[in-house]
Amino acid sequence: MRLNSMCISCLVGKQERKISGFSDEDKKTAYMKEITKIIGESDDEASSPYLGYLFNQVYQRYFGELKDYTEIKKEYNAFVLGMEDALYDEILKAEDPLAQAIIYARIGNYIDFGALQHVEKEVFLELFRDEGKNRLDGSVYESFLRDCGSGKRFLLLTDNCGEVVLDKLFIKELEKRFPHLDICVMVRGEEVLNDATMVDAKEVGLCDAAKVIHNGNGIAGTIENMLHGEAKEALEQADVILAKGQANFETLHGCGRNIYYSFLCKCDWFAGRFQVEKNTGMFIRER
C-alpha cells in the first residue's frame, strides 16, 4: 500500500511522542530531522511499517534500546488465554463455527500498541458484543471456502500478542473443515512493538496447533523481499494466505497473491478508506 499524507502525518506524530520524555532538545531535533529525511527520500512504494523499521534503527542510535513490550505481551497473552475456553464454547455453538472463529480472531486484532495510543480491555471485550462491527462479507467468505477446499497449502500471517490465542482457535476450526490443508503459521522473527514472535506462539500453545515459522525480521508487517528462505518459500508456495492486521495489509496489498486480509480499522485512514466506524472488522480479498 502506497504511503499517503495522512500516514506521513501519523508517522511523524508518533515519533515526536516517542521522544517527548527526553530532555535534550538538540538531540530530539536532530532525530526528527533524520526521520523526516527518511520519509522525504522514501520511494513511492514505501509502507508505514517499513519506515517504522528504519526509524527504530535511528532511534537506537540516538536514544538507546526501544521500549520493551515483554510484560505487556505476557499480560495480554494471559488475559486472552483466560477467555479461551469460554470463547471456544461460543464458536462451537455458532451456526458456522469457522466463520465465528474468523470473527473472534479478527477482534483480537484490537490488541495493537502500535496503531492505538491506548489499548483498553473494556473496549476489547465490548467488541465481542458489537454485532454491527462483526460481520463477514458473504461473497468473500464463500470465495475463501472454495479456495481452502481446492488448495493444498494454507499460510496464516499473524499480527499481535493475545490475538494469536484466537488465531489458534481459528486454526482448530480450519483443520476441522479442511483436514487436507497443510497449514503453516508465520510470526515475526524479531521483537517489534507487541507483535507475536515464536516466544508468544509457544506461550499460547499455537505451536501445538500448527507448524509455526518466523519471518526473519522485526518489521511490523510482511515484506516479501526481506523474508528469509523458509518464510519466503512458505509465502510463495501457499495456495491461500490469510494476513492479519493493518500492517500486513499495508505491506502486502497490491502484490497480486491469493491473500485474504482480516483486520480492524483502528485508525482514521483505514476507517475513511473503507467508510466504516473505527474498530469495524474487515475481511477482504487481494484479487
Side-chain angles (χ1 to χ4, degrees):
M1 187 186 90
R2 297 182 67 170
L3 203 62
N4 58 74
S5 60
M6 188 178 290
C7 289
I8 290 172
S9 175
C10 182
L11 283 169
V12 173
K14 284 180 179 178
Q15 295 307 306
E16 194 283 325
R17 290 191 296 273
K18 193 173 181 178
I19 64 172
S20 61
F22 295 103
S23 58
D24 189 332
E25 191 58 42
D26 289 339
K27 184 182 288 189
K28 288 161 66 176
T29 299
Y31 174 75
M32 292 306 295
K33 283 184 176 180
E34 195 159 340
I35 291 303
T36 53
K37 182 180 179 183
I38 290 173
I39 296 173
E41 294 179 350
S42 63
D43 61 44
D44 290 341
E45 300 306 316
S47 63
S48 293
Y50 177 66
L51 292 180
Y53 170 74
L54 298 180
F55 297 165
N56 285 343
Q57 296 176 29
V58 179
Y59 179 94
Q60 289 174 298
R61 179 155 42 85
Y62 276 86
F63 302 106
E65 290 302 309
L66 297 162
K67 179 176 178 177
D68 186 352
Y69 285 87
T70 300
E71 293 307 314
I72 289 174
K73 293 169 74 176
K74 287 182 178 179
E75 176 186 350
Y76 277 87
N77 283 338
F79 179 62
V80 185
L81 279 170
M83 303 168 59
E84 180 180 6
D85 290 344
L87 290 176
Y88 196 44
D89 284 344
E90 292 299 314
I91 287 172
L92 295 177
K93 288 189 291 187
E95 182 178 344
D96 185 337
L98 179 58
Q100 193 67 44
I102 291 173
I103 290 170
Y104 278 5
R106 188 177 62 189
I107 291 172
N109 189 236
Y110 171 78
I111 306 171
D112 187 342
F113 285 81
L116 300 172
Q117 289 191 50
H118 304 287
V119 174
E120 301 175 34
K121 290 178 180 177
E122 295 78 10
V123 174
F124 173 63
L125 294 174
E126 180 60 33
L127 286 171
F128 288 95
R129 299 184 286 270
D130 193 336
E131 294 184 6
K133 293 178 179 178
N134 287 337
R135 297 189 176 94
L136 285 182
D137 183 303
S139 62
V140 175
Y141 181 57
E142 288 301 319
S143 176
F144 177 78
L145 294 179
R146 287 194 299 271
D147 284 346
C148 288
S150 61
K152 294 181 180 179
R153 296 183 179 89
F154 183 94
L155 176 64
L156 173 64
L157 303 175
T158 65
D159 196 10
N160 302 311
C161 70
E163 180 179 356
V164 286
V165 177
L166 303 172
D167 291 335
K168 179 177 64 174
L169 301 184
F170 158 71
I171 290 294
K172 285 184 179 181
E173 290 308 303
L174 186 69
E175 287 179 329
K176 285 183 185 178
R177 184 76 68 92
F178 304 104
H180 69 280
L181 275 180
D182 179 6
I183 299 173
C184 181
V185 179
M186 190 185 299
V187 296
R188 309 289 190 245
E190 298 173 7
E191 295 292 338
V192 52
L193 299 168
N194 67 293
D195 288 17
T197 63
M198 289 296 291
V199 171
D200 302 286
K202 292 174 182 177
E203 190 171 282
V204 304
L206 185 58
C207 294
D208 298 325
K211 176 184 178 181
V212 181
I213 63 174
H214 65 79
N215 67 5
N217 60 64
I219 296 175
T222 304
I223 298 179
E224 288 195 51
N225 62 13
M226 295 186 70
L227 296 178
H228 67 84
E230 185 180 29
K232 184 176 178 62
E233 183 177 300
L235 187 73
E236 290 176 345
Q237 294 184 354
D239 301 304
V240 188
I241 302 167
L242 178 60
K244 301 288 301 297
Q246 290 183 174
N248 276 324
F249 179 85
E250 290 175 278
T251 50
L252 286 168
H253 185 250
C255 70
R257 296 189 182 279
N258 191 28
I259 303 181
Y260 291 83
Y261 299 97
S262 179
F263 55 85
L264 297 187
C265 294
K266 290 165 291 193
C267 70
D268 291 334
W269 187 86
F270 270 85
R273 170 173 180 151
F274 295 104
Q275 294 296 294
V276 295
E277 294 181 7
K278 278 189 179 179
N279 293 329
T280 296
M282 304 301 299
F283 188 61
I284 59 178
R285 190 185 186 198
E286 169 78 15
R287 292 177 179 173

